[in-house]
Amino acid sequence: MRAAVRVGAVTGASAVLAGWIWAAGSTRAPLWTVTLPAVGAVWTLTLLHHGYLAGREWAHRRRRRTSRDRRAAWAPAAGVRPPIDYPNVVRRPPGGAPVDLQGRYRATGVRLAVLPLLAVLFLTAHTVFLPDGGALGVGFVLAECLLLGCLVWTVWTEQHPSRPWVVDRVRAELFRREMFLLLAGVGPYMGLTDRQAALVRDTRTALLADADPAALDRFARLADQDPDGGQRDWRDEVWRRAGDPAVTAGGDPGDRMRTYLDHRIRRQRLFMELAAEKCERSEGVLGRAAKGVVLTAVAVAVAYAVLLGAVPGGHGPSTAAMLVALLAAGLPPLCNSVLAVQNLLAGQRLAVSYRETRQELLDHENALRRLLEEPEGAERARGFRTLVMRTEATLTEEVRRWRITVAKPEFDAGL
């Protein structure tokens, strides 16, 4: 469905551009000629927007294919129960689509990164090829004004552009965290009966479903708020209330430990590993592209100087020299566009955070495996609850770092 919409949008824009070119060439009317560059600019932006989204989906499918073996190796054993098989644990309610929101946010950011480049190319084309002006020359100037106007308008009107994506991802992670707090009987569910735990679960998930960014920040804290304004850290409560029952129902406590190991720790560790690789790959591609553009710009500048030096006195520059001039003018802003996209994706910073979280999860995994080998009893139950709180603290901190990295008050745009 999405692919059909994208194809339809690009096809429609291409048909409009082709019709405009035909009308401008056949009628020679000033109106068609003046507006032709602006139509070409709109077609370029449409192609860029939908091309980015199509490339993003293709890259996602490719990563799914290449990671199939690792995802298959993660698959829990047949005897490991999924979290929703335990009392009171429910699926995360349907909500937004963080991946789609991420795509729209980044597609807009990529478009803004390319707008200055297109503006420079349109102005350079007018200066180099149409120095005497004319209808088409005026059209190139108007198209440049349109591009810069779109740039300024988007930056001014798109305040907190990443907020929908950030809020949806944070809410999804907190819903997931709630499942495993309930599974282990820690945090707000510590020492509660099944009936009490169900009431607390319903209250907290209802609050989470409607939480704004400020409420999500408060919800993310691993602590209860006392009436006097103080906070009781859930990690401390595990030791203060060591005599409370771990969980009230659901079979062998070892089952919950194995479920938590496979469906929480190992699964999140795999996610962090794949996400870090994706970020490092994109960072490497963009870094190499920026360096390549800089080297190409130097070579083109030298070639342009040689071509200008070869022009006989009293003659204008050749067509080849004008094309090289257009290329020489476009390469520096192209480098800036690549760097802007690199900053938008923040691949290096995110990869560092993912790698750090993955290592911490590996430590938690090893600790839980050792815990599973110990004899059943109150000491092992307390160790499990302590480990769950450490793991949830690790994952909550990762979400906090991620939010700081990707959240923007407005788009960055350079001219």
Side-chain angles (χ1 to χ4, degrees):
M1 181 63 181
R2 294 173 186 169
V5 171
R6 281 196 290 272
V7 170
V10 172
T11 302
S14 300
V16 170
L17 178 62
W20 221 280
I21 293 174
W22 176 83
S26 61
T27 64
R28 304 284 182 177
L31 178 63
W32 294 101
T33 304
V34 167
T35 54
L36 179 59
V39 175
V42 173
W43 174 82
T44 303
L45 293 177
T46 302
L47 187 67
L48 175 68
H49 178 83
H50 293 285
Y52 168 78
L53 293 177
R56 183 173 176 273
E57 289 189 3
W58 173 83
H60 175 71
R61 290 195 295 270
R62 181 177 177 275
R63 288 194 301 271
R64 295 284 293 181
R65 288 194 302 270
T66 56
S67 65
R68 187 181 295 121
D69 292 341
R70 279 188 286 178
R71 287 185 288 109
W74 160 80
V80 177
R81 299 164 60 183
I84 59 170
D85 277 5
Y86 293 90
N88 290 330
V89 181
V90 296
R91 292 184 184 275
R92 179 170 68 89
V99 174
D100 294 338
L101 295 172
Q102 179 201 60
R104 287 197 289 271
Y105 160 69
R106 286 183 169 173
T108 304
V110 169
R111 187 171 70 248
L112 286 177
V114 175
L115 278 173
L117 166 64
L118 294 178
V120 169
L121 289 177
F122 274 65
L123 180 61
T124 305
H126 161 256
T127 304
V128 173
F129 295 100
L130 302 166
D132 299 327
L136 190 58
V138 173
F140 275 113
V141 175
L142 292 178
E144 181 202 7
C145 294
L146 173 65
L147 292 169
L148 296 180
C150 290
L151 176 68
V152 174
W153 175 261
T154 304
V155 172
W156 282 358
T157 58
E158 293 277 351
Q159 296 300 305
H160 300 284
S162 60
R163 177 173 289 175
W165 171 36
V166 170
V167 168
D168 253 40
R169 199 239 159 162
V170 170
R171 180 178 287 117
E173 293 297 338
L174 293 178
F175 268 126
R176 188 175 294 113
R177 187 185 77 177
E178 207 67 18
M179 288 174 52
F180 290 100
L181 292 176
L182 183 55
L183 170 74
V186 293
Y189 305 102
M190 188 168 181
L192 301 183
T193 64
D194 284 345
R195 182 177 180 82
Q196 292 170 332
L199 293 174
V200 172
R201 177 205 64 203
D202 293 342
T203 301
R204 287 176 61 82
T205 54
L207 290 173
L208 185 55
D210 298 324
D212 58 16
L216 287 175
D217 287 342
R218 293 191 298 270
F219 204 97
R221 297 171 186 168
L222 296 169
D224 287 323
Q225 190 80 26
D226 287 331
D228 60 0
Q231 289 187 343
R232 289 179 291 110
D233 193 291
W234 294 339
R235 289 162 289 190
D236 297 337
E237 290 297 294
V238 171
W239 294 98
R240 290 198 188 108
R241 303 169 59 182
D244 287 356
V247 287
T248 56
D252 180 10
D255 289 344
R256 292 177 184 262
M257 297 169 69
R258 283 183 285 271
T259 296
Y260 192 83
L261 173 65
D262 284 347
H263 287 271
R264 186 57 164 165
I265 298 180
R266 291 184 61 231
R267 184 172 186 174
Q268 288 296 121
R269 182 167 63 81
L270 176 63
F271 169 81
M272 298 298 165
E273 182 177 334
L274 296 177
E277 290 177 0
K278 181 189 76 171
C279 291
E280 289 168 348
R281 187 162 48 246
S282 65
E283 184 75 11
V285 169
L286 291 172
R288 290 190 295 272
K291 294 173 184 176
V293 170
V294 170
L295 294 176
T296 304
V298 173
V300 169
V302 172
Y304 185 49
V306 171
L307 288 173
L308 287 179
V311 175
H315 293 76
S318 63
T319 302
M322 290 191 292
L323 291 174
V324 172
L326 180 63
L327 188 60
L331 284 173
L334 175 60
C335 182
N336 287 336
S337 297
V338 174
L339 294 176
V341 173
Q342 191 176 36
N343 181 61
L344 175 75
L345 300 183
Q348 184 177 11
R349 286 169 287 169
L350 289 174
V352 171
S353 177
Y354 291 146
R355 291 292 185 191
E356 182 177 332
T357 304
R358 177 189 174 277
Q359 184 57 50
E360 292 183 30
L361 290 173
L362 182 59
D363 295 338
H364 298 326
E365 177 182 342
N366 293 333
L368 184 50
R369 291 187 185 279
R370 290 193 298 269
L371 198 60
L372 279 166
E373 297 174 357
E374 296 181 4
E376 184 178 342
E379 193 65 28
R380 188 175 78 157
R382 185 166 57 250
F384 173 53
R385 286 183 289 183
T386 303
L387 181 61
V388 168
M389 290 312 309
R390 289 207 305 267
T391 303
E392 297 306 325
T394 293
L395 294 173
T396 301
E397 176 62 18
E398 186 278 323
V399 173
R400 188 187 72 85
R401 289 195 303 263
W402 173 85
R403 185 192 61 203
I404 292 173
T405 301
V406 304
K408 288 182 178 294
E410 62 181 15
F411 280 112
D412 298 325
L415 295 177

